[in-house]
Each structure stands twice: as C-alpha cells, then as structure tokens.
Amino acid sequence: MYKIEPEILSKINEYLEFDISIINKSLHYMDTNYLVFGGSIRDILSFGKIKNDIDILVKPDSFRLFIDILTQTGWKSYEYIKKDILDTYKLQRLIFEPHIFEKNGKMVQLIRPSDYNYFNKSVQ
C-alpha cells in the first residue's frame, strides 16, 4: 500500500483544504486510489510548503469522487491548458489529458493514467 508520511500528508491537506485520505476511506474495496507526485512533493521536502500545484495520478474508480470533493470544497474546473502540455502528454502516451482545478490562486491537476499497470507499478 502507498502511504504518505504524516508531515507530507499534513501539507497536502493544508493546500487542498480537505483531508485527501477521505478518498481511500470512501472506496473501501481499494486502498491505493491515487498517487501524489511531482513538484509538490519536492516543494514540501525542500521548502516546507507547496509553491505551484499538486499533481495527482488518479485511478478511474476515484476520479469522479475526486471531482465531487474538489467541487464541494470550492475548487473550480480550470479550462485553459497550454498546447505544449497536451502535446507532451500525447507523445508520452502514459496519461490522458489532465483535469485542472483552481482555488484562490492554487491549482490541482487530476491525471488519469492510460496504462493502469503503470499506475500499479508506481505505487508499489
């Protein structure tokens, strides 16, 4: 099972303004429904807080739940995506187009993997 260290989890929850653990608690049949990665983890480890955004790799079963929780907690869907970002995703073919949410100048990217075996390898 993928586990986030308490200090890192606290900073992620502070940024999101909700407890991300609710995702796994709500989907009782799975214990690894998402993977937080990228610059947000680097920022927490280096600077103690998240500077830019949070990237979350999300399994299909938890994708809708994430959207619902983000929406209920005041996050708004953000429509603008730079073309060069989409081109990168298409070339890598590892993920589908990200879904971006914004709140008070903060951003969250929900990313669905195109290969769920890759996701499972990433969280082990």
Side-chain angles (χ1 to χ4, degrees):
M1 178 176 143
Y2 167 66
K3 227 174 148 180
I4 301 175
E5 293 297 323
E7 300 83 21
I8 295 172
L9 180 61
S10 173
K11 297 292 183 181
I12 291 169
N13 290 341
E14 180 182 317
Y15 185 92
L16 293 173
E17 299 178 27
F18 69 86
D19 182 358
I20 196 170
S21 302
I22 193 74
I23 301 297
N24 286 337
K25 291 174 186 170
S26 297
L27 299 171
H28 302 290
Y29 53 91
M30 298 171 72
D31 62 1
T32 308
N33 297 291
Y34 60 88
L35 173 67
V36 178
F37 69 103
S40 60
I41 301 300
R42 177 208 58 226
D43 290 348
I44 292 169
L45 294 174
S46 300
F47 310 109
K49 68 179 214 168
I50 298 168
K51 290 186 170 217
N52 294 319
D53 67 351
I54 292 183
D55 301 310
I56 306 173
L57 192 62
V58 182
K59 282 188 173 178
D61 293 345
S62 57
F63 190 75
R64 183 78 245 164
L65 182 57
F66 257 109
I67 290 175
D68 290 346
I69 291 172
L70 285 168
T71 302
Q72 290 168 10
T73 56
W75 291 84
K76 304 286 183 215
S77 182
Y78 187 77
E79 298 298 323
Y80 177 76
I81 300 175
K82 292 181 181 177
K83 184 182 180 325
D84 61 330
I85 292 173
L86 288 179
D87 290 342
T88 300
Y89 292 148
K90 287 177 187 172
L91 288 174
Q92 292 176 351
R93 295 184 185 178
L94 295 175
I95 62 175
F96 292 116
E97 178 179 314
H99 290 257
I100 301 173
F101 291 82
E102 186 271 334
K103 181 179 181 181
N104 300 326
K106 302 183 291 186
M107 296 186 105
V108 172
Q109 288 191 74
L110 297 183
I111 301 168
R112 294 178 298 157
S114 59
D115 178 357
Y116 297 105
N117 291 321
Y118 178 78
F119 179 94
N120 290 330
K121 289 177 192 172
S122 297
V123 297
Q124 291 177 351

